[in-house]
Structures are given as structure tokens and as C-alpha cells.
Amino acid sequence: MEKQKRKFDDFLISVKLGFFLAFRQIRRSNKATTALIIFVMALTFLNLVVVRGVLVGLIQSTINVYKERFTGDIFISTPLKKDYIENSPNIIDIVKNMPWVETYSPRYTKGGKIEGTYKERIDYTEKSNEANATITGIDPEREDATTGLSSKIIEGQYLTKDDTESVVIGAYLLKKYFPVESAAFSTLDNVGVGSKIRLTINGNIKEFTIKGIVKTKVDEIDMRVFMLDSVMRTLAGRGDYNVNEIPIKLKLGTDPVMVKNALVLSGVGETARVQTFEEGLPKFVTDMKNTFALLGNIVGSIGLVVASITIFIVIYINAITHRKFIGILKGIGISSQVIEIAYVFQSLFYAFFGIGFGLAILYGFLVPFIDKHPIQFPFSDGILLAEYSATFLRVLLLTLATLVAGFVPARIVVKKNTLDSILGR
Amino acid sequence: MQNIIEVKNLTKSFKTGDSELVVLNNMSLQIEEGDFFSITGRSGSGKSTLLYQLGLLDHPNSGEIVIDGVNVSALDKEGRTKFRLKELGYVFQDYALLPELSAVENIVIPLLMQGLEREEAYKKAEDALHKIGMSERLNNLPNQLSGGEQQRVSIARAIAHEPKIIFADEPTANLDSETADTVIKTFLELNSGGQTIIMVTHEPEYARLTKRAIKIGDGKILNDGKPENVIQ
């Protein structure tokens, strides 16, 4: 017991003295060198957080935009092998009466053909200017409240309740925005806001004027043509009011799984497919999410190793250049433990201020900056995802790595023969 | 006076390639408490090697060293470090001060290591600096001090914890003659107060000022006795 107490007292003295030495060594070291080491640590920390954050953020923003613009929190859709959701009015009633629902938007969809510049066509041996698309009938106000579609109009205007002769067209149906032409997929050339297009749905043909062009970076939206639901019902022969999709936006903080279960329990699942937004994601997105998370972790692990090596080199060089003084300290009776602790404190100092500086750059500049100026990717507006929990974990990992990387070189140098160190041989 | 150091059959050799260079060959000697003992000899004769063995900075190949009744040859690494901390003081040729620490901080380090409270440690350090006439340069960093001042701080560090023995390895070698005289004067004053000092020097005029001298060569003590008899 007495021996243990003495050991503990010795350890306390070592910690105090280690701090004493580290503090003075840092305080009187070259300020530019210290600043450089802290800067390197900050960059290393950012490398650890930002690379992963951008990779995961890219996919997360894809998921976010998919949820915001297409599925909502809950997505009720047509079961496979059915043309529409049977008994839709009853389902809409159930949704409307749920206390967790903020808003919803029933959509009628049907495959159709769009023709452009047909009035200017002279040579009928040439292929007509046409594209296939999903024609979607919506209540413009409801849709806008649920998915904010009007905010994504990049040309022209959004639909109003009186626009029976107008449509909004997805940007990916226009060559101007999606210059891809293949045997399986075609886009409309020379068509823009104000152009007349001819829609063929269910054998019915009607001419519309393009009122606006929408671009959300979600294929399911950008390859559609939107018109009023009342017009769509007539064209598609949906006098029964049966719809194909109902994206539901829930009140903030509501658990989508709970609402989905409630919908299924109330019988909605018998005639429709009910999915949370996560379940509704295309498989490639979930696959990409997993792949990018893995990539992020690999890059993060490499970053951590690089950080450890960086601090190892810094402390090792520091310890090697101080080898003589380490020898002197040992010579006058200072224990190896004190010297090792002094170097651990030094590395923790670099870690603390490096990480602190990195955090300031991250949350003070990078996250808000990329939020305001997203990285432009074809399928989303890339954000920098830096959740506090993930960042805290990386702070912890980097601190631990720094601790080890500070201790090991100090130990290597401290272990060298005292007299050899003093005499520099 | 009783012996403070007893050395029996001390041997130290170094490997140089395939051959072995014997620097101290079966050496025995005793040093009395309160002595001012100088070790002299030609360059490479093993003066410093002997000092490092006596001062526990190096480990002999064989032989026994007893300091103040403790067989220090039998101590483990930790025991030797603690013994150095509490019982021995060192003055090196190149002062060996830590560049990031002020004069007083250089002295306070071993005192704090001994477990002294901060205030007490600083008081002892300041007293030691006062004793060697350096009380006005307490907070100066080593690079703000002259060579002589640095060596005096080094002496203050060696005496602050009141060690049984001070080991000085050519303490005047890097100093001009005037400063070197001051350092030796400091040693003489300390010795007159009862402090045991063992000093390696190649300067006969300083060796002559000590109480006892040995001259070593070929790994053996060639002469031992009054400095005026040992130094020619």
C-alpha cells in the first residue's frame, strides 16, 4: 500500500514536472515553428474530417434532395403490376387526418410522348423532335408546399391553378440542359419557355405551352412534364380520382417509420406501397452511400495515419535535437517518465491548438461557405457533412494518435544511453 | 575523515571494432569526505571515464563503487537515477544548461523532482544562485549569460540540493582564465564549507589548488597524493 502510494506520488511529480518542462519548451520555442506545426496539425485534422465529409455529404445531399423534391418523408406509390393506387380518395383521407402530416401531394402519372417543333417540321422523312416522359398531374399549390417545386424553376414560371393550357417541363427532357442522344433516350431540341409542345397520353393528344423549366437534379422530377391534375385526369381517363404517388411531408421531428407503420396498420398497405424516404431511395443511391462511407473511412484512416506520422516526425526531430539535454536531465536525476510526459504534453499542445484551429476553420468557414456555395455535382448540390458526433470521434482519435505519436519518439530518444546523449556520441 | 567513496577493482573497457580498449584497469581508490579531489592525466587517459563511473553516469564492466556506504554498483537503473538526484551534483565542461529554461528554472528542476513544493524549490534555487553571486540573473536564459555565468549557474544547480559529492568534468575548459579563476574560487569556497568535490582537469594550476590529486594513464593510477607532488 505504502509502495503504491509512493509510486502514485512519484507519478504526480512526474506529471507536474513534465508539464513544467513542456510549457517552457513550447513558450520559448521558435514561434514560427510552433505556428507551422499547429497549422500542419489543423490541415491534418481538416483532411481527416473534410475529405470524408465531402464524400459522405455528396451522397447525403443526393438523399436530401431526393427526399425534399420527390418522395417527402413518406412515399405512397402504386404497387408493381398495378396502374394506379386503388381507392386513392380513401387513402388521401387517411393521410389528411393523420396528426403528424404537415402536407402531402397526390400525383397522377402516366407515360406519354412529347413532341416539339412539330409546326416547323417540313421534311417528314426526318425523325420527329420527340421524347418520352412521365406526365404528371399535380395540384400546383400542394406540390409546392410538399416539395418546393416552384423554387426549382430555372426558366419561366411555375404553374397556377388556372394554367390548363400550360406545363412545366423537366430540364433533362431538353437538349439544352441534357445534351445526350441515344437510341433509347432522346431529348427535345429547340424547345424552351413559350414553345408549344404536343402531348400524347393514353392515345389522347393535346397541345400545351411550356410555362417553366424545372431542374432539381433528381431524375424522377427532371424527366417529367407537370400539368394540372384536373387536366391530367381528363387526358389519362382518371375520373375515379385514383392517383399514382403521394409524397408526404411530416411535421418536424416526426419519426417516418412510426407514421409508415400507422399507415400500414390503417390498411393503406393493402392497395399501395408505403415506404419511408430511405426505403424509397433508388438502390444505386443506397449502394453509393455505403461505398462512399467506406471510402470516407478509408481516406479518414489514411488521414489518421498521416497525422500520427506527422506528429511522430515533429516530436522525434524535436527529441533528437534535444537529445543532449534529455541526457543532461537524466544525468542530473530526472526520471525518464518526466521527459516522456513532457513530450506527450507537447504533442497534446500541438493537437489541442491544431484541432482547435481546424475546428474553427471547419465550422466557422468551410461548412457555412459550402452550405452557401454548394459543390456542383450532376446529381446533387454537394454539402460538407460534418456532424458533431462524427467530428468529436475524429477529434478523439486524432488526440489519441497524437498522444501515442508523441510518446513513442520520446521513449526512443529517452531510452538511449545517458552518457552517449550528454556527450553527443 | 571517513571515506565517502571507495572504489575496488574498477575496470572499464570499450569495444573499438574487433579489439577492446581498456580505459580503467582494475583500479582501486578511496576518497575522503570533504576532499577536493582532482583527476589529471593526458588526453584520452581515462580521466572523464573515471569520473563518469564514480558519478554513476556510466556503468563499469567490473568492480565495485561504494558511495557513502551504499554499494551503488548494485543499484538498478532507477536506483542509480534516484541516487544521482539526491546525493550527487554535476558540473559539465559545456555547462549543460537547458536552453529553454531560465537560470533559476534550470536549478529548480531537480529540486521539484525531489518532491519539494514549488515555493521551497524556488527559494532553494535562488539561495544557490545567491551563494555563487548570480542572484541578479535569476530569470535570464542561458543564451543571455556569458560562459562564466552559465558555468556558475551550472554550479548552483549542482549544489542547490546539498549533494554529498559534486562531480566536475573540466569545468574551466571552455572559459577564459579570469572566469576560470572565478569558477575555481567558487569550488574552493564550497569545499571550505565541507563540500566534497571531484574534478577532472587538464590544467595543472587548478589541480594544484585541490587537496588531493591523482594522475592516471594506461588505465592505472600513476601518481596519487598532494597535488604538488602529483603535478610536475
Side-chain angles (χ1 to χ4, degrees), chain B residues 38-43 47 93 151 169-181 183-184 199-210 213 227 231-232:
Chain B
S38 58
I39 304 168
T40 65
R42 283 185 290 116
S43 287
K47 306 184 292 288
Q93 182 177 333
Q151 193 59 296
D169 185 14
E170 307 223 28
T172 56
N174 288 349
L175 303 174
D176 60 72
S177 57
E178 196 181 332
T179 315
D181 288 348
V183 168
I184 293 297
M199 176 175 76
V200 166
T201 182
H202 64 273
E203 290 161 288
E205 66 271 31
Y206 295 134
R208 279 195 195 96
L209 296 171
T210 62
I231 316 291
Q232 286 141 22

Side-chain angles (χ1 to χ4, degrees), chain A residues 335-376:
Chain A
S335 72
S336 301
Q337 193 179 43
V338 170
I339 301 160
E340 286 158 6
I341 288 173
Y343 277 94
V344 167
F345 271 126
Q346 275 189 65
S347 49
L348 285 178
F349 167 85
Y350 296 133
F352 182 77
F353 282 96
I355 290 170
F357 186 40
L359 283 171
I361 295 173
L362 180 69
Y363 290 113
F365 172 68
L366 283 177
V367 170
F369 181 81
I370 296 178
D371 244 18
K372 275 188 183 163
H373 308 90
I375 305 163
Q376 294 298 319

Side-chain angles (χ1 to χ4, degrees), chain A residues 77-79 81-88 109-110 237-238 240 242-244 271-272:
Chain A
S77 57
T78 308
K81 296 181 184 173
K82 291 280 180 186
D83 286 336
Y84 46 78
I85 302 168
E86 288 170 2
N87 209 13
S88 292
T109 65
K110 188 86 183 164
R238 288 281 176 80
D240 53 9
N242 281 329
V243 298
N244 295 79
T271 54

Side-chain angles (χ1 to χ4, degrees), chain B residues 104-149:
Chain B
V104 71
E105 286 165 350
N106 261 286
I107 299 163
V108 98
I109 286 270
L111 300 172
L112 291 172
M113 186 73 219
Q114 286 191 31
L116 264 65
E117 288 301 322
R118 195 183 161 85
E119 271 184 25
E120 190 187 354
Y122 269 89
K123 188 174 180 318
K124 274 199 159 197
E126 284 167 19
D127 287 349
L129 279 168
H130 181 73
K131 204 169 177 178
I132 52 132
M134 287 286 293
S135 49
E136 284 176 14
R137 312 300 300 268
L138 292 177
N139 297 314
N140 286 72
L141 292 174
N143 63 9
Q144 296 165 328
L145 301 171
S146 69
E149 287 173 325

Side-chain angles (χ1 to χ4, degrees), chain A residues 68-69 144 147-154 158 214-216:
Chain A
E68 277 171 33
R69 307 292 168 211
D144 196 34
T147 63
L149 200 61
S150 71
S151 66
K152 291 292 163 183
I153 297 290
I154 52 169
Y158 186 58
V214 66
K215 188 179 180 187
T216 60

Side-chain angles (χ1 to χ4, degrees), chain A residues 10 13-14 17 20-21 24-25 27-28 322 324-325 328-335 338 415 417-419 422-423 425, chain B residues 14 52 57-58 81-82 84-85 90 92 94 96-102 105 108-110 112-113 115 118 122 141 157:
Chain A
D10 282 352
I13 289 172
S14 297
L17 201 50
F20 179 95
L21 284 170
R24 277 149 186 85
Q25 196 161 359
R27 196 176 64 182
R28 287 169 187 147
H322 280 78
K324 180 183 172 70
F325 304 109
I328 291 161
L329 281 169
K330 283 166 69 188
I332 62 173
I334 308 300
S335 72
V338 170
K415 280 273 174 201
N417 180 282
T418 304
L419 192 59
I422 293 173
L423 300 177
R425 62 187 186 196
Chain B
F14 296 100
Y52 299 145
L57 290 172
D58 201 3
T81 304
K82 282 192 172 162
R84 286 200 301 266
L85 176 71
Y90 301 87
F92 296 96
D94 57 359
L97 298 174
L98 301 182
E100 291 94 2
L101 303 187
S102 67
E105 286 165 350
V108 98
I109 286 270
L112 291 172
M113 186 73 219
R118 195 183 161 85
Y122 269 89
L141 292 174
R157 182 178 63 191

Side-chain angles (χ1 to χ4, degrees), chain B residues 59-84:
Chain B
H59 211 66
N61 298 82
S62 62
E64 190 179 273
I65 301 169
V66 176
I67 299 178
D68 199 30
V70 178
N71 181 0
V72 293
S73 315
L75 291 175
D76 62 8
K77 210 172 173 182
E78 198 185 330
R80 289 156 66 85
T81 304
K82 282 192 172 162
F83 195 88
R84 286 200 301 266

